[in-house]
C-alpha cells in the first residue's frame, strides 16, 4: 500500500491518541463512527466501526494493556488486543502488524444523564469518563463503576496523571481547572478531594508531565493552555499548602515569538503550543547524533542541543501562523526557589512550513499537536498535527534541523496527511488524465483530491470540500480538479473547487424525455483551457449538451471575478440517438490515460466517448464531435457487439476499444474487444462473491489493465499476448488486493490514477495502492515471467513485458514465421542465434533482433521461396564441402543440436524458463524438418514441425492437448507430400499405430487418397488385434467391419479359442448378412451391447447390419470421437456417401459454428466439394454462412476462433481452383480489407508486430469482376480476378452443359462431385491458351 486516507478525524480534543505497546508505536483516531488504528504513515492496522450509536467523541490508549477505549453517547466501548502471541519471528521478535482489537465490553453510563466527551486511562486498567459527572470505572472485572461525582459544568477534558493519583478536569468555556486528589485506592471505596486552579480566561488545553517509564516516580506537573495565549506550569512547590499544585511559572506565547520582519503580512496573533517531554527530546537528540555524518562541518546547532539535552528539560514549542517557531526549555520544575534560568530559550527559527488552516471558519482554525520519538534506530522526532478542519498531518525531522537558527528550506518533512470523508464513500470520479478525482458520499458531500508526486511515490492531497444541497446524480471533473460539474435530476451546476471550500458558480435547469443516465465530458478537437462541453443521455436515447466556460479569476461568495459577461454554463445543443426500447444503460468510457481530444473526423477510427448496452446483451460504442459553427453534436456508433448475455448488471468500457460486461447474477465477467467483436475473457466467480465495480487503466504504450471490484477485494487483470498455438488465455490475474484486514466495510468504489496507483474507497476511507507487484513462483509460471529476475516490479513494466513485442527468437514468433511461409527467415534467425550464443555469458544482453535489419522481415512468400531454392542449390554444389562448419551459414540438424546445448546452459533474459524449453523444442523440430526439406512442400513442413513439437511436448508432459488441432490437420490436408507424411508419422509410432495415435496425428482427416486411407485403416486394425498377447478380435472388430472385411474378422475369431464368446460369435459371423433376418439379428446384438455400455463393439455390429448411420452416431455421441465417426464413414462408403455428407452438414459444420472453429469448417466444406465456401469461411464467422437460426454461443465469439494463420491459408487457397476464386469473388473488398487489418491486429496482440507490418505491406487484393450490363449473361471467368496471368488454377467448376441449362432457365442443383485430376486443356486455359 502506498498511502491511506483513513477518514476525516473528528474535531475533538481527544480525537487522536498515540502510545507504545509491545515495542510498536500505535496511533489511533476517530472518524465519525469509525476507530482507526495505524502504526506508521502508510500502515493501517485495523478499522473498527461502531454501528450501535452515532459519532465517536474520544479515544484513548492504555500503553500497559494495549486496550483502546472510545465513547459515544453514554456508552464506553473497550477493545482488547489479540493476536500478538501468534506474530513471532525467529529470536522472539513480535510482529506488531498482527495485532488486532476486538470488543471486550460495553459500559453503559446512562445513569449519569449526559454525553461522555472525555476519557483517560489510569493504573490497573481503570478508566476515567467525563460527562455531566466524572466516573471512574474498571475494565478488568465484573464490577464497572468505582467512583462517580456530578459536576456543575459538563466536562470538556479530564485527564488522569500518569501515577493515577490526580485528575485535572475542566468544562466547556470554563476558566477553572478542577484538580482531584485520590485519597483511597481500595476497590471497596474510592474517594477524592479537589481544589481549583484559577485562570483568567477559558482553559483550552492540559498536559501532564510524562515519566521516562511508567514505573518511574516523579512529581506531577500540569501544563495548561489558556485563551490569553499563555502557558501555565503547575507544580507541588509547597506540600503543606491547601492547594495541591501551585503556579510555578507562566510563559507568554505572544512574547515568545518576535518576527524579524515588521510589515503586517509577516506577523500573526495566532499561537499554537505543545510540550515535548524530556524523554522524547533526549531520545530525538541521540538519534540526531547517530544520523549526523562524521564529516559534517556545521555542527553548532547539534552541539547546542546536546548541551541542552544533558539538562533533561521539557521543551515548550511555540508556533505562529507565519512559519515562526520558538522553543523553550523548562527544568527544575517544582523547585521552591525558581531561577530565571530555569526557563531558557533553545531556539528561535523561521521557515517552519505547516499546512495551517486558511480561510477556515472559527471552529476549524484550532490545531492540536502530539509528538513522540520512536524506539527504532532510524526513528526521528515525529509531530502529529491535528487540524480541526478534518486533517492529521504526520511530520518528521531531525531535532537539530528543527532548532537550527540558520535558514533551512525544510525543517519537518510531511510524510502523509490523514483525511477523508465522515460518511461511507459511494462514488469516485476522476479527470480524463487521472491527476485529480472527486469522491462523494450518500449525503451529497464531495471531496476533490489531487495527485501529488513525491520522491516516495504518489499521494493524494485534499484540495476542496463540496457540500451540495441537492441530490448528486452524476459528477464530472474539469481542469485537473479546479472545477466540478454535478448533474441533478432537473438541473446541472458548476462549482469552483480551487479553494478549501467549493464555491457555487452557476446552475442551469433542464427537461429531458426519460431518466438521465450519465454525464459525459466530450472530447475537443483542440484542448481549450477555458472551454468544455458535457452531455447527458437519457433512457430514451435523447441527449442535451452544455457549454462550460470555467472562469479564470477567483470566485468569492458565489460571484466569479474576471470571467466577463460570458455565461459559465449554458445549454449548447440537443440530440437524438434513435429509439432503443431494450436499452439498459449508457455510460461514459474510461479514458484510460488518454487525453480528451479527437481528430476532426467522425468515423470508426475516432476515440470512443460512451458505450450503451441493452437487456439482450447488445453492446454499442459511440463517438461524438462538437460542431462549434452550427452549435450541434454529431454522434456515430463505432461498433456493435452481440454478446448473448441477458440483462447485464454492470459494464465498463475504455477509449481503446475494450469493454467488460457482468451478467445478471454479478458472478460472470466477460471482456470484449469491441473493434473485432471478440470475446477475450470469461470467468465465473463464486456465488458469494458478487462483482460490484469495474475500472480500466492502460500503460503508456496502450496495454489494458482491468480492476474487478468485489465486496472486500479487488482483482487486477492484465491482458496477455494472444497465443493461438497453445490456446493460451488472453487475460490473467496479476495482483489481488484485499482490504478485509484493514476494514470490515465493503468497498464502495475504486478508480485508477494516471501514475498507475489504484484508489480504493471503503467506508469513509481511501486506500492508495502503488504499482509495485510482488510475484510468487506460481504466478511467475502462469505468466511466463523470467524467474531469474524475481524482484518486485512496476505494474506497467510487467504488463508491457506480458504484451510487448516479442524478440525474434521467441518460440511464438518463430512458429508464426513458419506458418506465414518464411522458412528461410526462420533459418537465418536460428543461424544468427547460434552465432550470438557462441560468445554469450550470464549477465550479457541479447539483441532482440539478433542484428537482422527490419527490411529483411518484409519479404513476401515468393521471395522467401526464391531464397530457399538458392540455398538448396548451394547445398548441392561442391563448394559447400570446403566451408568450415563453424562459419557455415546453412541451418542443419547439427546446428540445431548445438544451439540447444548452449540453451541448456544459458538463461536468456527475454525468455522465461518455460519459454526457453519451448524454444529448444522448436529448434529441435526445425532441425528435423530441415532434414526432409527437399522432399516435402511448405504445407507438409508446417504440419511436420508442429506434429514433432506436439509429440516432444507430450513426452515432456508440458501440454494437455490430446491431439493436433484442426489447423495442423488442414495444412496436411492441402499438402502434396502426403505419402511421405504417412511414412514419417508411422515411424513416429514405431510402425505400431493404434487408433489413439491416428487420432492424435489426425491422419484419417487429412489423407485424400481413399485407397491409401483404407490401407492405413487396415494397418490400424491389425495393430489393435496384436496390441495384447491375447490377440482379442473384439479390439479390431469395428475397423475390419468398417473395411467390409467380415471374413478376415471371422478368421481371427476362429483362432481365439481362449475367448468364451468364440463359439457363438464365430457361428453368428458365418451367416449371410445381406439377408434381412441376419441384419435384424445384428441390430438386436448391437442394441444389447449398447445397454451394456460396450459402445465400440456395438458400433461394429451396426456396421455388420449395414447401419452406418447408427455406428457413426455411437462414435459421435457415446464415444465422443469426431475423428472416428468421420473415418468410419469415409472408409465404409467413400467421400461421396450420403452418411458422410449428412454427418458433415448436420454435425460437423454446426459444431464448427458453435465453437467458432474455422479450420474445421473449411475442411468440412472442402470435403463437401464446396470449395468456394471453404474460402469464404476463412474470412467470415462460420455461423454467418450456415442457414441456421440459432445464435452462436460465447465460444464462437472467443478470440481463439480467429487465427492469423487463416490469412495465410486464404492467400494460398483463393487462387488454387476456379471454385475458390469464385468464393473469393463473393468477398467484398471492404470485407477483405477488414479481414487483413484484423489479422494484422492479431499479429500485434501476439507480439509479432513485424509480421503485422509485412502483412499489410505485401498484401495483394484480387481484381474485381466486371459488372454485368445485361439481364442474363454467362458468369464472368474468375481467372480475370488474378493479377498474374501465369497462375496455375485448377478448373473445378461445373461443365459447360450445366451452364447452358442455367441459361435456358433450368434450376437443377448439381450434386457435389469428388475431386478429379484436371484435364490438360483446363491447365492450358490457366496460362491463357
Amino acid at each position: 500500500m502506498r498511502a491511506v486516507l483513513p477518514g476525516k478525524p473528528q474535531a475533538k480534543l481527544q480525537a487522536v491518541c498515540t502510545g507504545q505497546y509491545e515495542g510498536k508505536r500505535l496511533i489511533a483516531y476517530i472518524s465519525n463512527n469509525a476507530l482507526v488504528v495505524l502504526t506508521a504513515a502508510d500502515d493501517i492496522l485495523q478499522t473498527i466501526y461502531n454501528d450501535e450509536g452515532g459519532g465517536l467523541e474520544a479515544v484513548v490508549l492504555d500503553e500497559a494493556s494495549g486496550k483502546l477505549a472510545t465513547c459515544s453517547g453514554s456508552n464506553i466501548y473497550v477493545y482488547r488486543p489479540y493476536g500478538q502471541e501468534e506474530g513471532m519471528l525467529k529470536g522472539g521478535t513480535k510482529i506488531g502488524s498482527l495485532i488486532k482489537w476486538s470488543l471486550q465490553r460495553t459500559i453503559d453510563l446512562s445513569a449519569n444523564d449526559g454525553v461522555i466527551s472525555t476519557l483517560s486511562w489510569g493504573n490497573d486498567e481503570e478508566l476515567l469518563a467525563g460527562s455531566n459527572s466524572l466516573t471512574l470505572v474498571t475494565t478488568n472485572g465484573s464490577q464497572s463503576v468505582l467512583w462517580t461525582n456530578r459536576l456543575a459544568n459538563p466536562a470538556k477534558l479530564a485527564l488522569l496523571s500518569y501515577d493515577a493519583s490526580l485528575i485535572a478536569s475542566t468544562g466547556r468555556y470554563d476558566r477553572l481547572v478542577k484538580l482531584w486528589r485520590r485519597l483511597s485506592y481500595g476497590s471497596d471505596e474510592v474517594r477524592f478531594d479537589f481544589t481549583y486552579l484559577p485562570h483568567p480566561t477559558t482553559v483550552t488545553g492540559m498536559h501532564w508531565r510524562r515519566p521516562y517509564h511508567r514505573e518511574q516516580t516523579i512529581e506531577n506537573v500540569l501544563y495548561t493552555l489558556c485563551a490569553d495565549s499563555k502557558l501555565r506550569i503547575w507544580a507541588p512547590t509547597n506540600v503543606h499548602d491547601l492547594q495541591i499544585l501551585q503556579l510555578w511559572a507562566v510563559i507568554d506565547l505572544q512574547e515568545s515569538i518576535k518576527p524579524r520582519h515588521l510589515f503586517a503580512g509577516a506577523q500573526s496573533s495566532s499561537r499554537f503550543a505543545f510540550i515535548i517531554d524530556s524523554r522524547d527530546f533526549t531520545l530525538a537528540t541521540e538519534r540526531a547524533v547517530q544520523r549526523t555524518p562524521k564529516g559534517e562541518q556545521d555542527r553548532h546547532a547539534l552541539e547546542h542541543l546536546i548541551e541542552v539535552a544533558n539538562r533533561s528539560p521539557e521543551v515548550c514549542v511555540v508556533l505562529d501562523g507565519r512559519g515562526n517557531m520558538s522553543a523553550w526549555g523548562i527544568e527544575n520544575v517544582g523547585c521552591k526557589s525558581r531561577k530565571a534560568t530555569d526557563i531558557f530559550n533553545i531556539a528561535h527559527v523561521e521557515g517552519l512550513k505547516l499546512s495551517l488552516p486558511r480561510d477556515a471558519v472559527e471552529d476549524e482554525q484550532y490545531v492540536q499537536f502530539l509528538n513522540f520519538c520512536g524506539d527504532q534506530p532510524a526513528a526521528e522526532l515525529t509531530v502529529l498535527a491535528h487540524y480541526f478542519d478534518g486533517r492529521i498531518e504526520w511530520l518528521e525531522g531531525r531535532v537539530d534541523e528543527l532548532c537550527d537558527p540558520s535558514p533551512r528550506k525544510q525543517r519537518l518533512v510531511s510524510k502523509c496527511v490523514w483525511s477523508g470523508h465522515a460518511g461511507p464513500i459511494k462514488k469516485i470520479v476522476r479527470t480524463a488524465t487521472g491527476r485529480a478525482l472527486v469522491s462523494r458520499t450518500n449525503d451529497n458531500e464531495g471531496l476533490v483530491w489531487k495527485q501529488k508526486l513525491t520522491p516516495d511515490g504518489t499521494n493524494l492531497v485534499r484540495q476542496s470540500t463540496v457540500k451540495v444541497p441537492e441530490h448528486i446524480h452524476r459528477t464530472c471533473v474539469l481542469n485537473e480538479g479546479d472545477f466540478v460539474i454535478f448533474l441533478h435530476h432537473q438541473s446541472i451546476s458548476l462549482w469552483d473547487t480551487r479553494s478549501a471550500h467549493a464555491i457555487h458558480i452557476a446552475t442551469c435547469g433542464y427537461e429531458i424525455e426519460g431518466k438521465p443516465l450519465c454525464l459525459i465530458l466530450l472530447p475537443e478537437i483542440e484542448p481549450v483551457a477555458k472551454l468544455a462541453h458535457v452531455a447527458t443521455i437519457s433512457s430514451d436515447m435523447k441527449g442535451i449538451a452544455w457549454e462550460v466556460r470555467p472562469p479564470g479569476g477567483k470566485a468569492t461568495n458565489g460571484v466569479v471575478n474576471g470571467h466577463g459577461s460570458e455565461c459559465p454554463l449554458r445549454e449548447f445543443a440537443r440530440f437524438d440517438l434513435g429509439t432503443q426500447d431494450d436499452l439498459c444503460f449508457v455510460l461514459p468510457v474510461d479514458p484510460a490515460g488518454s487525453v480528451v481530444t479527437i481528430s476532426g473526423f467522425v468515423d470508426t477510427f475516432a476515440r470512443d466517448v460512451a458505450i450503451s448496452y441493452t437487456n439482450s446483451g447488445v453492446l454499442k460504442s459511440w463517438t461524438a464531435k462538437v460542431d462549434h459553427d452550427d452549435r450541434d453534436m454529431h454522434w456515430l456508433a463505432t461498433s456493435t457487439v452481440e454478446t448473448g448475455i441477458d440483462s447485464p448488471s454492470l459494464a465498463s468500457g475504455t477509449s481503446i476499444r475494450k469493454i467488460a460486461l457482468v451478467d445478471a447474477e454479478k458472478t460472470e465477467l466477460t471482456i470484449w474487444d469491441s473493434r473485432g467483436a471478440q470475446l477475450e475473457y470469461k470467468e465465473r466467480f463464486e456465488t458469494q462473491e458478487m462483482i460490484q465495480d469495474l475500472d480500466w487503466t492502460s500503460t503508456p504504450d496502450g496495454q489494458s489493465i482491468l480492476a474487478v471490484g468485489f465486496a472486500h477485494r479487488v482483482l487486477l487483470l492484465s491482458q496477455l499476448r494472444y497465443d493461438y498455438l497453445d490456446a493460451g488465455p488472453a487475460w490473467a490475474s496479476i495482483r489481488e488486493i484485499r482490504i478485509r484486514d484493514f476494514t470490515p466495510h465493503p468497498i464502495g468504489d475504486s478508480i485508477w490514477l494516471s501514475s498507475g496507483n489504484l484508489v480504493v474507497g471503503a467506508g469513509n476511507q481511501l486506500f492508495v495502492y502503488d504499482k509495485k507487484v510482488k510475484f510468487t513462483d506460481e504466478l511467475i509460471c502462469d505468466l511466463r515471467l523470467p524467474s531469474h529476475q524475481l524482484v518486485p516490479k512496476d505494474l506497467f513494466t510487467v504488463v508491457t513485458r506480458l504484451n510487448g513485442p516479442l524478440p525474434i527468437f521467441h518460440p511464438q514468433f518463430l512458429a508464426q514465421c513458419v506458418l506465414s511461409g518464411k522458412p528461410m527467415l526462420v533459418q537465418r534467425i536460428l543461424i544468427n542465434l547460434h552465432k550470438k550464443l557462441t560468445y554469450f555469458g550470464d549477465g550479457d544482453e541479447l539483441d532482440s533482433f539478433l542484428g537482422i535489419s527490419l527490411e529483411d522481415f518484409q519479404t513476401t512468400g515468393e521471395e522467401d521461396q526464391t531464397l530457399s531454392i538458392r540455398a538448396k542449390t548451394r547445398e548441392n554444389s561442391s563448394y559447400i564441402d570446403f566451408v568450415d562448419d563453424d562459419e557455415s551459414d546453412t541451418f542443419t540438424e547439427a546446428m540445431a543440436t548445438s544451439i540447444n546445448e548452449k540453451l541448456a546452459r544459458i538463461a536468456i533474459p527475454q525468455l522465461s524458463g518455460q519459454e526457453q524449453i519451448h524454444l529448444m523444442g522448436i529448434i529441435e523440430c526445425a532441425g528435423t524438418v530441415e532434414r526432409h526439406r527437399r522432399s516435402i512442400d511448405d504445407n507438409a513442413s508446417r504440419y511436420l514441425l508442429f506434429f514433432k513439437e506436439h509429440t516432444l511436448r507430450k513426452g515432456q508432459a508440458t501440454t494437455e492437448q490430446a491431439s493436433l488441432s484442426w489447423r495442423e490437420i488442414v495444412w496436411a490436408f492441402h499438402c502434396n507430400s502426403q505419402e511421405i507424411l504417412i511414412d514419417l508419422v508411422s515411424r513416429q509410432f514405431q510402425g505400431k499405430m493404434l487408433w489413439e495415435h491416428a487420432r492424435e496425428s489426425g491422419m484419417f482427416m487429412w489423407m485424400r487418397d481413399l485407397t491409401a486411407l483404407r490401407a492405413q485403416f487396415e494397418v490400424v486394425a491389425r495393430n489393435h488385434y496384436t496390441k495384447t498377447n491375447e490377440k482379442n478380435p473384439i479390439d479390431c472388430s469395428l475397423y475390419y467391419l468398417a473395411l467390409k472385411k467380415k471374413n478376415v474378422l471371422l478368421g481371427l475369431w476362429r483362432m481365439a479359442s481362449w475367448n468364451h464368446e468364440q463359439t457363438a460369435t464365430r457361428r453368428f459371423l458365418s451367416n449371410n448378412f445381406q439377408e434381412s433376418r441376419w441384419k435384424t439379428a445384428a441390430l438386436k446384438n448391437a442394441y444389447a451391447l449398447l445397454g451394456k455400455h460396450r459402445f465400440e463393439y456395438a458400433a461394429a455390429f451396426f456396421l455388420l447390419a449395414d447401419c452406418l448411420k447408427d455406428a457413426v452416431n455411437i462414435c459421435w455421441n457415446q464415444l465422443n470421437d469426431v475423428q472416428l465417426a468421420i473415418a468410419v464413414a469415409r472408409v465404409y462408403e467413400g467421400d461421396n456417401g450420403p452418411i458422410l455428407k449428412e454427418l458433415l452438414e448436420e454435425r460437423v459444420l454446426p459444431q464448427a459454428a458453435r465453437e467458432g472453429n474455422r479450420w474445421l469448417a473449411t475442411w468440412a466444406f472442402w470435403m463437401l466439394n464446396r470449395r468456394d465456401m471453404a474460402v469464404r469461411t476463412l474470412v467470415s464467422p462460420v455461423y454467418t454462412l450456415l442457414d441456421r437460426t440459432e445464435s452462436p454461443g460465447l465460444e464462437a465469439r472467443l478470440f481463439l476462433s480467429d487465427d492469423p494463420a487463416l490469412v495465410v491459408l486464404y492467400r494460398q487457397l483463393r487462387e488454387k481452383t476456379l471454385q475458390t476464386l469464385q468464393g473469393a469473388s463473393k468477398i467484398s473488398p471492404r470485407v477483405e480489407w477488414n479481414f487483413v487489418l484484423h489479422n494484422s491486429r492479431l499479429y500485434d496482440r501476439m507480439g509479432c508486430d513485424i509480421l503485422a507490418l509485412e502483412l499489410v505491406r505485401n498484401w495483394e487484393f484480387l481484381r474485381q469482376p466486371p459488372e454485368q450490363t445485361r439481364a442474363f449473361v454467362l458468369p464472368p471467368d474468375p481467372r480475370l480476378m488474378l493479377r498474374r496471368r501465369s497462375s496455375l488454377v485448377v478448373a473445378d467448376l461445373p461443365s459447360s452443359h450445366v451452364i447452358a441449362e442455367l441459361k435456358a432457365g433450368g434450376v437443377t442443383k448439381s450434386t457435389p462431385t469428388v475431386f478429379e485430376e484436371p484435364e490438360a486443356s483446363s491447365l492450358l486455359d490457366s496460362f491463357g491458351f
Side-chain angles (χ1 to χ4, degrees), residues 209 221 223 231-234 248-251 274-278 281 308 311-317 327-334 338 341-346:
R209 181 167 67 172
V221 175
Y223 300 90
L231 173 74
R232 291 171 173 82
I233 306 171
W234 305 84
W248 184 76
V250 178
I251 299 177
F274 62 94
I275 302 296
I276 301 178
D277 290 297
S278 177
F281 181 75
V308 172
R311 300 164 66 176
S312 301
E314 276 80 30
V315 178
C316 175
V317 179
W328 298 84
I330 306 170
E331 63 178 347
N332 300 324
V333 180
R338 184 174 69 85
T341 57
D342 288 344
I343 299 178
F344 56 94
N345 183 262
I346 299 175

Side-chain angles (χ1 to χ4, degrees), residues 493-626:
S493 59
L494 175 64
W495 294 74
D496 186 343
T497 55
R498 291 174 290 182
S499 58
H501 294 275
I503 299 172
H504 176 245
I505 297 177
T507 297
C508 181
Y510 70 90
E511 291 183 0
I512 191 172
E513 297 180 25
K515 178 183 178 182
L517 300 177
C518 59
L519 187 61
I520 304 170
L521 178 60
L522 299 173
E524 307 287 344
I525 298 176
E526 294 181 358
V528 181
K530 296 184 180 180
L531 178 64
H533 293 84
V534 296
T536 184
I537 301 174
S538 73
S539 55
D540 292 339
M541 297 300 283
K542 305 291 190 288
I544 305 176
W546 290 275
E547 183 181 77
V548 185
R549 294 186 179 273
K554 184 180 180 182
T556 56
N557 299 323
V559 179
V560 181
N561 301 322
H563 68 271
S565 59
E566 294 180 345
C567 181
L569 180 64
R570 61 176 176 174
E571 185 174 310
F572 179 75
R574 289 180 177 259
F575 53 89
D576 188 352
L577 298 182
T579 58
Q580 199 165 5
D581 298 334
D582 199 26
L583 180 68
C584 184
F585 211 83
V586 181
L587 67 157
V589 300
D590 195 317
S594 61
V595 296
V596 194
T597 56
I598 60 170
S599 64
F601 304 97
V602 182
D603 52 28
T604 56
F605 296 98
R607 190 180 74 87
D608 291 342
V609 299
I611 63 169
S612 64
Y613 59 94
T614 65
N615 291 316
S616 58
V618 178
L619 292 172
K620 279 190 177 182
S621 55
W622 301 83
T623 187
K625 176 189 173 184
V626 180

Side-chain angles (χ1 to χ4, degrees), residues 169 225 285 289 299 454 530 568 602 907 911 963 1016 1100 1133 1187 1191 1273 1291:
S169 67
L225 282 168
T285 306
V289 173
R299 294 174 55 92
T454 64
K530 296 184 180 180
V602 182
L911 301 179
S963 60
Q1016 198 61 37
E1133 66 174 4
D1187 298 331
S1191 59
V1273 294

Side-chain angles (χ1 to χ4, degrees), residues 276 603 785 1028 1152 1288 1329:
I276 301 178
D603 52 28
L785 291 171
T1028 61
L1288 179 64
F1329 295 107

Side-chain angles (χ1 to χ4, degrees), residues 858-911:
Q858 306 306 314
T859 59
T860 61
E862 290 81 358
E863 293 170 349
D864 198 83
Q865 288 299 320
T866 303
L867 294 175
S868 178
I869 294 172
R870 290 177 182 173
K872 291 178 182 179
T873 305
R874 185 173 179 275
E875 288 178 12
N876 294 332
S877 65
S878 59
Y879 178 72
I880 195 70
D881 299 332
F882 299 97
V883 179
D884 187 6
D885 289 341
D886 294 338
E887 299 296 329
S888 175
D889 286 339
T890 304
F891 178 74
T892 61
E893 198 169 5
M895 181 181 289
T897 304
S898 176
I899 296 174
N900 281 345
E901 289 175 354
K902 293 179 173 64
L903 289 176
R905 302 190 307 268
I906 301 172
I908 304 299
Q910 293 96 323
L911 301 179

Side-chain angles (χ1 to χ4, degrees), residues 363-385:
D363 292 343
E364 296 180 353
Q365 293 178 357
Y366 189 77
V367 183
Q368 185 182 28
F369 293 92
L370 292 81
N371 63 88
F372 60 87
C373 185
D375 292 338
Q376 292 78 16
E380 298 176 332
L381 179 65
T382 301
V383 178
L384 297 177

Side-chain angles (χ1 to χ4, degrees), residues 270 443 524 681:
S270 299
D443 55 359
E524 307 287 344
Y681 180 81

